[in-house]
Amino acid sequence: AVLLGVREHSEWADGHIAKAKHIPLGQLKNRVSDLEKFKGKPIVAVCRSGNRSGSACGMLKKAGFENLHNLAGGMIAWEQAGMPKEK
């Protein structure tokens, strides 16, 4: 799966999931082409709480992506579960 972080740059700098790709939600519409090579793979969108990543999944679906997942609870849930992150 490809992890796609859609938080803003300052949030990303505070910590993110290792090896995740970073495209802030506000830039996603203009940068969908950056993800074309992953079109056949599962994409898991991640934000702070799950709201923006849900919007990202909607945008990607409209762009023809099909295997999309929203990380429930976002980075808040990730951190609460004790999962690792990097800066």
Side-chain angles (χ1 to χ4, degrees):
V2 176
L3 295 166
L4 174 64
V6 297
R7 297 177 299 154
E8 295 300 319
H9 292 289
S10 60
E11 295 171 293
W12 179 262
D14 285 340
H16 54 272
I17 300 171
K19 299 183 181 177
K21 307 258 180 248
H22 181 226
I23 303 176
L25 182 61
Q27 297 175 14
L28 185 58
K29 189 173 184 178
N30 295 325
R31 293 184 56 193
V32 168
S33 61
D34 293 0
L35 300 171
E36 282 294 323
K37 62 185 171 188
F38 306 116
K39 211 166 195 173
K41 295 185 177 189
I43 296 177
V44 180
V46 182
C47 67
R48 187 181 72 81
S49 65
N51 291 327
R52 285 176 283 179
S53 51
S55 295
C57 287
M59 278 187 210
L60 292 173
K61 185 173 180 104
K62 286 180 183 177
F65 290 78
E66 295 179 2
N67 198 348
L68 301 166
H69 308 275
N70 183 3
L71 182 66
M75 285 301 294
I76 292 172
W78 183 267
E79 291 170 3
Q80 287 175 343
M83 301 300 289
K85 63 181 187 173
E86 65 180 27
K87 290 188 177 191

